[in-house]
Amino acid sequence: MATGNVVQCNACGGIYRTHQLDGTEYYHACPPQRVIGTKPAPTPTDPNATAPIFEAVANRRDENVKVTDDQGTVAIKAEGLGVTPVTDPAILAAFTAA
Ligand SMILES: [Zn+2]
């Protein structure tokens, strides 16, 4: 049985499970860029070829941890824009173990 919640990163739009199917915690970190669309390929061999349009991800989230004091307290590296719980049944079904 799957554990954890499925959430969407508010900075990059990535959707992920907070715990992997084996129960291991997952720490999301936004990529530097995300694809926001497509454009015609610059040198197409196929007239319908496209190339991605990239946009820098602002306020990136990084859930990897850092030590914040000499007592060993840890916190995530960057909150970014936070996350939103996913409630769409179709998306949740895609994250359900077979
Ligand atoms: Zn992200």
Side-chain angles (χ1 to χ4, degrees):
M1 183 65 184
T3 59
N5 299 315
V6 177
V7 296
Q8 182 167 27
C9 176
N10 295 332
C12 73
I15 297 174
Y16 58 96
R17 180 181 296 286
T18 58
H19 292 74
Q20 298 179 32
L21 296 178
D22 67 359
T24 307
E25 293 180 337
Y26 171 77
Y27 303 106
H28 171 75
C30 294
Q33 296 181 318
R34 65 182 184 159
V35 175
I36 59 169
T38 58
K39 60 185 176 186
T43 55
T45 54
D46 173 348
N48 296 319
T50 59
I53 300 171
F54 292 100
E55 172 186 78
V57 176
N59 298 310
R60 294 165 54 195
R61 182 174 180 80
D62 187 346
E63 297 176 346
N64 292 293
V65 296
K66 63 180 177 183
V67 176
T68 59
D69 61 24
D70 60 4
Q71 305 300 310
T73 304
V74 296
I76 68 171
K77 288 182 179 176
E79 183 67 31
L81 297 178
V83 295
T84 301
V86 172
T87 57
D88 184 320
I91 295 173
L92 292 174
F95 281 83
T96 302

Short mmCIF file of all heavy atoms in Angstrom, two decimals, residues 20-78:
data_model
loop_
_atom_site.label_atom_id
_atom_site.label_comp_id
_atom_site.label_asym_id
_atom_site.label_seq_id
_atom_site.Cartn_x
_atom_site.Cartn_y
_atom_site.Cartn_z
N GLN A 20 8.08 7.41 -1.27
CA GLN A 20 8.07 6.45 -2.37
C GLN A 20 7.24 5.24 -1.96
O GLN A 20 6.84 5.09 -0.81
CB GLN A 20 9.51 6.04 -2.70
CG GLN A 20 10.33 7.23 -3.17
CD GLN A 20 11.75 6.85 -3.49
OE1 GLN A 20 12.02 5.75 -3.92
NE2 GLN A 20 12.67 7.77 -3.26
N LEU A 21 6.96 4.38 -2.92
CA LEU A 21 6.07 3.25 -2.66
C LEU A 21 6.61 2.31 -1.59
O LEU A 21 5.84 1.61 -0.93
CB LEU A 21 5.79 2.49 -3.95
CG LEU A 21 5.03 3.31 -5.01
CD1 LEU A 21 4.82 2.49 -6.27
CD2 LEU A 21 3.69 3.78 -4.46
N ASP A 22 7.92 2.29 -1.37
CA ASP A 22 8.48 1.44 -0.32
C ASP A 22 8.53 2.15 1.03
O ASP A 22 9.06 1.63 1.99
CB ASP A 22 9.86 0.93 -0.73
CG ASP A 22 10.90 2.05 -0.81
OD1 ASP A 22 10.56 3.23 -0.57
OD2 ASP A 22 12.06 1.74 -1.11
N GLY A 23 7.96 3.38 1.10
CA GLY A 23 7.91 4.12 2.34
C GLY A 23 9.06 5.09 2.54
O GLY A 23 9.04 5.89 3.47
N THR A 24 10.05 5.04 1.68
CA THR A 24 11.18 5.94 1.77
C THR A 24 10.73 7.38 1.49
O THR A 24 9.98 7.62 0.56
CB THR A 24 12.27 5.55 0.74
OG1 THR A 24 12.59 4.18 0.91
CG2 THR A 24 13.50 6.40 0.90
N GLU A 25 11.22 8.32 2.31
CA GLU A 25 10.87 9.72 2.08
C GLU A 25 11.49 10.22 0.78
O GLU A 25 12.60 9.82 0.42
CB GLU A 25 11.36 10.59 3.24
CG GLU A 25 10.64 10.31 4.54
CD GLU A 25 11.15 11.19 5.66
OE1 GLU A 25 12.29 11.68 5.59
OE2 GLU A 25 10.39 11.37 6.64
N TYR A 26 10.78 11.11 0.10
CA TYR A 26 11.28 11.71 -1.14
C TYR A 26 11.46 13.20 -0.89
O TYR A 26 10.55 13.86 -0.35
CB TYR A 26 10.31 11.48 -2.30
CG TYR A 26 10.66 12.26 -3.53
CD1 TYR A 26 11.70 11.84 -4.35
CD2 TYR A 26 10.00 13.43 -3.86
CE1 TYR A 26 12.07 12.57 -5.48
CE2 TYR A 26 10.36 14.16 -4.99
CZ TYR A 26 11.38 13.73 -5.78
OH TYR A 26 11.74 14.45 -6.89
N TYR A 27 12.61 13.75 -1.27
CA TYR A 27 12.89 15.17 -1.08
C TYR A 27 12.96 15.84 -2.44
O TYR A 27 13.95 15.70 -3.16
CB TYR A 27 14.20 15.36 -0.32
CG TYR A 27 14.20 14.66 1.02
CD1 TYR A 27 14.93 13.50 1.22
CD2 TYR A 27 13.44 15.17 2.06
CE1 TYR A 27 14.92 12.86 2.45
CE2 TYR A 27 13.42 14.52 3.30
CZ TYR A 27 14.17 13.38 3.48
OH TYR A 27 14.15 12.74 4.69
N HIS A 28 11.94 16.60 -2.78
CA HIS A 28 11.86 17.27 -4.07
C HIS A 28 12.79 18.48 -4.10
O HIS A 28 12.90 19.22 -3.12
CB HIS A 28 10.42 17.73 -4.31
CG HIS A 28 10.24 18.62 -5.50
ND1 HIS A 28 10.28 18.15 -6.79
CD2 HIS A 28 10.05 19.95 -5.60
CE1 HIS A 28 10.10 19.16 -7.61
NE2 HIS A 28 9.96 20.27 -6.93
N ALA A 29 13.42 18.69 -5.24
CA ALA A 29 14.16 19.93 -5.51
C ALA A 29 13.79 20.35 -6.93
O ALA A 29 13.87 19.54 -7.86
CB ALA A 29 15.66 19.71 -5.38
N CYS A 30 13.36 21.60 -7.08
CA CYS A 30 12.95 22.09 -8.40
C CYS A 30 14.14 22.09 -9.36
O CYS A 30 15.26 22.42 -8.96
CB CYS A 30 12.45 23.52 -8.31
SG CYS A 30 10.93 23.76 -7.39
N PRO A 31 13.87 21.81 -10.63
CA PRO A 31 14.91 21.98 -11.64
C PRO A 31 15.12 23.48 -11.90
O PRO A 31 14.26 24.29 -11.57
CB PRO A 31 14.32 21.28 -12.86
CG PRO A 31 12.84 21.43 -12.69
CD PRO A 31 12.60 21.36 -11.19
N PRO A 32 16.25 23.86 -12.48
CA PRO A 32 16.48 25.28 -12.77
C PRO A 32 15.50 25.85 -13.79
O PRO A 32 15.17 27.03 -13.75
CB PRO A 32 17.91 25.33 -13.33
CG PRO A 32 18.49 23.99 -13.12
CD PRO A 32 17.39 23.03 -12.81
N GLN A 33 15.04 24.99 -14.72
CA GLN A 33 14.12 25.45 -15.75
C GLN A 33 12.98 24.44 -15.89
O GLN A 33 13.11 23.30 -15.50
CB GLN A 33 14.83 25.54 -17.11
CG GLN A 33 15.95 26.55 -17.16
CD GLN A 33 16.59 26.60 -18.54
OE1 GLN A 33 16.82 25.57 -19.15
NE2 GLN A 33 16.86 27.80 -19.02
N ARG A 34 11.88 24.92 -16.50
CA ARG A 34 10.77 24.03 -16.82
C ARG A 34 10.31 24.33 -18.23
O ARG A 34 10.54 25.43 -18.77
CB ARG A 34 9.62 24.20 -15.84
CG ARG A 34 8.98 25.56 -15.90
CD ARG A 34 7.88 25.69 -14.87
NE ARG A 34 7.23 26.98 -15.01
CZ ARG A 34 6.02 27.24 -14.57
NH1 ARG A 34 5.33 26.32 -13.96
NH2 ARG A 34 5.49 28.43 -14.74
N VAL A 35 9.65 23.34 -18.84
CA VAL A 35 9.13 23.49 -20.20
C VAL A 35 7.75 24.12 -20.10
O VAL A 35 6.89 23.64 -19.35
CB VAL A 35 9.06 22.12 -20.92
CG1 VAL A 35 8.40 22.27 -22.28
CG2 VAL A 35 10.45 21.52 -21.04
N ILE A 36 7.52 25.20 -20.85
CA ILE A 36 6.23 25.87 -20.81
C ILE A 36 5.50 25.80 -22.15
O ILE A 36 4.41 26.35 -22.29
CB ILE A 36 6.37 27.35 -20.38
CG1 ILE A 36 7.28 28.11 -21.34
CG2 ILE A 36 6.87 27.44 -18.95
CD1 ILE A 36 7.26 29.62 -21.13
N GLY A 37 6.09 25.13 -23.12
CA GLY A 37 5.42 24.99 -24.41
C GLY A 37 6.41 24.49 -25.45
O GLY A 37 7.51 24.03 -25.11
N THR A 38 5.99 24.58 -26.70
CA THR A 38 6.87 24.17 -27.78
C THR A 38 6.86 25.23 -28.88
O THR A 38 5.96 26.07 -28.95
CB THR A 38 6.43 22.81 -28.39
OG1 THR A 38 5.09 22.94 -28.86
CG2 THR A 38 6.52 21.69 -27.38
N LYS A 39 7.88 25.18 -29.71
CA LYS A 39 8.01 26.08 -30.84
C LYS A 39 8.54 25.26 -32.01
O LYS A 39 9.04 24.14 -31.81
CB LYS A 39 8.98 27.23 -30.52
CG LYS A 39 10.38 26.74 -30.18
CD LYS A 39 11.28 27.87 -29.74
CE LYS A 39 12.65 27.31 -29.32
NZ LYS A 39 13.53 28.32 -28.77
N PRO A 40 8.42 25.77 -33.23
CA PRO A 40 8.98 25.01 -34.35
C PRO A 40 10.47 24.76 -34.15
O PRO A 40 11.18 25.61 -33.63
CB PRO A 40 8.74 25.93 -35.55
CG PRO A 40 7.61 26.81 -35.13
CD PRO A 40 7.78 27.00 -33.64
N ALA A 41 10.90 23.59 -34.54
CA ALA A 41 12.32 23.25 -34.40
C ALA A 41 13.16 24.20 -35.25
O ALA A 41 12.73 24.59 -36.34
CB ALA A 41 12.56 21.81 -34.81
N PRO A 42 14.35 24.60 -34.78
CA PRO A 42 15.16 25.57 -35.52
C PRO A 42 15.64 25.06 -36.88
O PRO A 42 15.73 25.82 -37.83
CB PRO A 42 16.33 25.85 -34.59
CG PRO A 42 16.32 24.77 -33.58
CD PRO A 42 14.94 24.22 -33.51
N THR A 43 15.99 23.81 -36.97
CA THR A 43 16.41 23.23 -38.24
C THR A 43 15.68 21.92 -38.45
O THR A 43 16.24 20.84 -38.32
CB THR A 43 17.93 22.99 -38.26
OG1 THR A 43 18.28 22.18 -37.13
CG2 THR A 43 18.71 24.29 -38.21
N PRO A 44 14.39 22.02 -38.78
CA PRO A 44 13.58 20.80 -38.82
C PRO A 44 13.89 19.92 -40.03
O PRO A 44 14.05 20.40 -41.14
CB PRO A 44 12.16 21.34 -38.90
CG PRO A 44 12.29 22.66 -39.57
CD PRO A 44 13.62 23.21 -39.10
N THR A 45 14.03 18.66 -39.77
CA THR A 45 14.07 17.67 -40.85
C THR A 45 12.65 17.20 -41.12
O THR A 45 12.34 16.80 -42.21
CB THR A 45 14.96 16.49 -40.47
OG1 THR A 45 14.50 15.96 -39.22
CG2 THR A 45 16.41 16.91 -40.33
N ASP A 46 11.82 17.33 -40.09
CA ASP A 46 10.39 17.03 -40.19
C ASP A 46 9.67 18.37 -40.04
O ASP A 46 9.91 19.09 -39.07
CB ASP A 46 10.01 16.07 -39.06
CG ASP A 46 8.52 15.82 -38.97
OD1 ASP A 46 7.73 16.53 -39.62
OD2 ASP A 46 8.14 14.89 -38.23
N PRO A 47 8.82 18.77 -40.98
CA PRO A 47 8.15 20.08 -40.89
C PRO A 47 7.29 20.24 -39.64
O PRO A 47 6.97 21.36 -39.25
CB PRO A 47 7.32 20.16 -42.17
CG PRO A 47 7.24 18.77 -42.68
CD PRO A 47 8.43 18.03 -42.16
N ASN A 48 6.92 19.14 -39.00
CA ASN A 48 6.11 19.21 -37.78
C ASN A 48 6.96 19.11 -36.51
O ASN A 48 6.42 19.04 -35.42
CB ASN A 48 5.07 18.09 -37.78
CG ASN A 48 4.08 18.27 -38.93
OD1 ASN A 48 3.65 19.39 -39.22
ND2 ASN A 48 3.75 17.18 -39.59
N ALA A 49 8.29 19.11 -36.66
CA ALA A 49 9.17 18.98 -35.50
C ALA A 49 9.05 20.21 -34.62
O ALA A 49 8.88 21.34 -35.10
CB ALA A 49 10.61 18.81 -35.96
N THR A 50 9.14 19.99 -33.33
CA THR A 50 9.08 21.09 -32.37
C THR A 50 10.26 21.02 -31.41
O THR A 50 10.92 20.00 -31.29
CB THR A 50 7.78 21.04 -31.53
OG1 THR A 50 7.72 19.80 -30.84
CG2 THR A 50 6.55 21.21 -32.42
N ALA A 51 10.51 22.14 -30.78
CA ALA A 51 11.55 22.24 -29.76
C ALA A 51 10.90 22.83 -28.50
O ALA A 51 9.95 23.60 -28.60
CB ALA A 51 12.68 23.14 -30.24
N PRO A 52 11.39 22.46 -27.34
CA PRO A 52 10.78 22.99 -26.11
C PRO A 52 11.10 24.46 -25.89
O PRO A 52 12.14 24.96 -26.31
CB PRO A 52 11.42 22.12 -25.02
CG PRO A 52 12.69 21.64 -25.61
CD PRO A 52 12.46 21.53 -27.09
N ILE A 53 10.16 25.14 -25.25
CA ILE A 53 10.38 26.52 -24.78
C ILE A 53 10.60 26.42 -23.27
O ILE A 53 9.73 25.91 -22.56
CB ILE A 53 9.16 27.42 -25.08
CG1 ILE A 53 8.88 27.47 -26.58
CG2 ILE A 53 9.39 28.82 -24.50
CD1 ILE A 53 7.57 28.16 -26.94
N PHE A 54 11.75 26.90 -22.81
CA PHE A 54 12.08 26.81 -21.39
C PHE A 54 11.85 28.14 -20.69
O PHE A 54 11.94 29.20 -21.29
CB PHE A 54 13.57 26.42 -21.21
CG PHE A 54 13.87 25.03 -21.67
CD1 PHE A 54 14.44 24.80 -22.92
CD2 PHE A 54 13.58 23.94 -20.86
CE1 PHE A 54 14.73 23.51 -23.35
CE2 PHE A 54 13.87 22.65 -21.27
CZ PHE A 54 14.45 22.43 -22.52
N GLU A 55 11.56 28.03 -19.39
CA GLU A 55 11.41 29.21 -18.54
C GLU A 55 12.15 28.91 -17.23
O GLU A 55 12.04 27.79 -16.71
CB GLU A 55 9.93 29.44 -18.25
CG GLU A 55 9.64 30.52 -17.23
CD GLU A 55 8.17 30.60 -16.90
OE1 GLU A 55 7.68 29.75 -16.12
OE2 GLU A 55 7.50 31.50 -17.43
N ALA A 56 12.87 29.87 -16.71
CA ALA A 56 13.54 29.68 -15.42
C ALA A 56 12.50 29.52 -14.33
O ALA A 56 11.45 30.18 -14.35
CB ALA A 56 14.43 30.88 -15.12
N VAL A 57 12.75 28.62 -13.39
CA VAL A 57 11.86 28.43 -12.24
C VAL A 57 12.27 29.39 -11.14
O VAL A 57 13.40 29.34 -10.65
CB VAL A 57 11.91 26.97 -11.73
CG1 VAL A 57 11.05 26.81 -10.48
CG2 VAL A 57 11.47 26.00 -12.83
N ALA A 58 11.37 30.30 -10.79
CA ALA A 58 11.64 31.27 -9.74
C ALA A 58 11.24 30.69 -8.39
O ALA A 58 10.35 29.83 -8.31
CB ALA A 58 10.86 32.55 -10.00
N ASN A 59 11.87 31.13 -7.33
CA ASN A 59 11.54 30.69 -5.97
C ASN A 59 11.54 29.18 -5.84
O ASN A 59 10.58 28.58 -5.34
CB ASN A 59 10.19 31.27 -5.54
CG ASN A 59 10.20 32.77 -5.49
OD1 ASN A 59 11.09 33.37 -4.90
ND2 ASN A 59 9.24 33.39 -6.15
N ARG A 60 12.62 28.56 -6.32
CA ARG A 60 12.73 27.10 -6.34
C ARG A 60 12.66 26.50 -4.94
O ARG A 60 13.21 27.03 -4.00
CB ARG A 60 14.03 26.69 -7.03
CG ARG A 60 14.03 27.05 -8.49
CD ARG A 60 15.40 27.00 -9.12
NE ARG A 60 16.06 25.73 -8.91
CZ ARG A 60 17.35 25.53 -9.10
NH1 ARG A 60 18.13 26.53 -9.50
NH2 ARG A 60 17.88 24.36 -8.91
N ARG A 61 11.99 25.34 -4.88
CA ARG A 61 11.88 24.58 -3.63
C ARG A 61 13.00 23.55 -3.59
O ARG A 61 13.33 22.94 -4.61
CB ARG A 61 10.52 23.88 -3.58
CG ARG A 61 10.25 23.10 -2.31
CD ARG A 61 8.81 22.59 -2.30
NE ARG A 61 8.48 21.83 -1.11
CZ ARG A 61 8.15 22.35 0.06
NH1 ARG A 61 8.10 23.66 0.20
NH2 ARG A 61 7.87 21.59 1.10
N ASP A 62 13.58 23.36 -2.41
CA ASP A 62 14.58 22.31 -2.21
C ASP A 62 14.34 21.67 -0.85
O ASP A 62 14.62 22.27 0.18
CB ASP A 62 16.00 22.88 -2.31
CG ASP A 62 17.05 21.78 -2.27
OD1 ASP A 62 16.73 20.62 -1.92
OD2 ASP A 62 18.21 22.09 -2.58
N GLU A 63 13.77 20.47 -0.86
CA GLU A 63 13.40 19.78 0.38
C GLU A 63 14.56 19.02 1.00
O GLU A 63 14.39 18.42 2.06
CB GLU A 63 12.23 18.83 0.13
CG GLU A 63 10.97 19.54 -0.31
CD GLU A 63 9.85 18.59 -0.66
OE1 GLU A 63 10.10 17.38 -0.83
OE2 GLU A 63 8.71 19.07 -0.79
N ASN A 64 15.71 19.01 0.35
CA ASN A 64 16.88 18.41 0.99
C ASN A 64 17.17 19.23 2.25
O ASN A 64 16.83 20.40 2.33
CB ASN A 64 18.07 18.40 0.04
CG ASN A 64 17.83 17.44 -1.11
OD1 ASN A 64 17.77 16.23 -0.90
ND2 ASN A 64 17.65 17.98 -2.31
N VAL A 65 17.77 18.60 3.23
CA VAL A 65 17.89 19.27 4.53
C VAL A 65 19.28 19.85 4.75
O VAL A 65 20.26 19.43 4.13
CB VAL A 65 17.54 18.31 5.69
CG1 VAL A 65 16.08 17.90 5.60
CG2 VAL A 65 18.45 17.10 5.69
N LYS A 66 19.31 20.84 5.63
CA LYS A 66 20.57 21.45 6.05
C LYS A 66 20.52 21.60 7.56
O LYS A 66 19.45 21.73 8.17
CB LYS A 66 20.76 22.81 5.39
CG LYS A 66 19.70 23.83 5.79
CD LYS A 66 19.90 25.17 5.14
CE LYS A 66 18.77 26.12 5.53
NZ LYS A 66 18.87 27.40 4.87
N VAL A 67 21.68 21.56 8.18
CA VAL A 67 21.78 21.78 9.62
C VAL A 67 21.73 23.28 9.85
O VAL A 67 22.44 24.05 9.19
CB VAL A 67 23.08 21.18 10.17
CG1 VAL A 67 23.23 21.48 11.65
CG2 VAL A 67 23.10 19.67 9.93
N THR A 68 20.86 23.71 10.78
CA THR A 68 20.66 25.15 10.98
C THR A 68 21.32 25.69 12.25
O THR A 68 21.34 26.89 12.46
CB THR A 68 19.15 25.47 11.03
OG1 THR A 68 18.57 24.73 12.11
CG2 THR A 68 18.48 25.13 9.72
N ASP A 69 21.81 24.80 13.13
CA ASP A 69 22.49 25.29 14.33
C ASP A 69 23.48 24.24 14.82
O ASP A 69 23.58 23.16 14.24
CB ASP A 69 21.47 25.67 15.42
CG ASP A 69 20.63 24.48 15.85
OD1 ASP A 69 21.08 23.32 15.70
OD2 ASP A 69 19.52 24.70 16.35
N ASP A 70 24.20 24.56 15.90
CA ASP A 70 25.20 23.62 16.40
C ASP A 70 24.60 22.50 17.24
O ASP A 70 25.32 21.66 17.77
CB ASP A 70 26.30 24.36 17.15
CG ASP A 70 25.77 25.14 18.34
OD1 ASP A 70 24.56 25.05 18.62
OD2 ASP A 70 26.58 25.84 18.97
N GLN A 71 23.26 22.48 17.37
CA GLN A 71 22.57 21.40 18.08
C GLN A 71 22.16 20.29 17.11
O GLN A 71 21.58 19.29 17.52
CB GLN A 71 21.31 21.93 18.78
CG GLN A 71 21.57 23.09 19.72
CD GLN A 71 22.53 22.73 20.85
OE1 GLN A 71 22.34 21.71 21.51
NE2 GLN A 71 23.57 23.52 21.03
N GLY A 72 22.40 20.50 15.84
CA GLY A 72 22.04 19.49 14.84
C GLY A 72 20.63 19.61 14.32
O GLY A 72 20.12 18.70 13.67
N THR A 73 19.97 20.74 14.59
CA THR A 73 18.63 20.96 14.07
C THR A 73 18.69 21.04 12.55
O THR A 73 19.58 21.67 11.99
CB THR A 73 18.04 22.28 14.63
OG1 THR A 73 18.07 22.22 16.04
CG2 THR A 73 16.62 22.49 14.15
N VAL A 74 17.75 20.37 11.90
CA VAL A 74 17.72 20.40 10.45
C VAL A 74 16.41 21.00 9.95
O VAL A 74 15.40 20.96 10.63
CB VAL A 74 17.91 18.99 9.82
CG1 VAL A 74 19.27 18.43 10.14
CG2 VAL A 74 16.81 18.05 10.26
N ALA A 75 16.48 21.59 8.77
CA ALA A 75 15.31 22.17 8.11
C ALA A 75 15.54 22.03 6.61
O ALA A 75 16.67 21.84 6.16
CB ALA A 75 15.14 23.64 8.48
N ILE A 76 14.45 22.10 5.84
CA ILE A 76 14.64 22.02 4.40
C ILE A 76 15.42 23.25 3.93
O ILE A 76 15.36 24.32 4.53
CB ILE A 76 13.31 21.85 3.63
CG1 ILE A 76 12.43 23.08 3.71
CG2 ILE A 76 12.58 20.62 4.11
CD1 ILE A 76 11.22 22.99 2.77
N LYS A 77 16.15 23.07 2.83
CA LYS A 77 17.03 24.14 2.34
C LYS A 77 16.26 25.36 1.87
O LYS A 77 16.68 26.49 2.10
CB LYS A 77 17.92 23.61 1.22
CG LYS A 77 19.00 22.66 1.71
CD LYS A 77 19.89 22.22 0.57
CE LYS A 77 20.98 21.29 1.06
NZ LYS A 77 21.81 20.77 -0.05
N ALA A 78 15.14 25.14 1.15
CA ALA A 78 14.37 26.27 0.63
C ALA A 78 12.91 25.89 0.50
O ALA A 78 12.57 24.92 -0.17
CB ALA A 78 14.91 26.72 -0.73
#
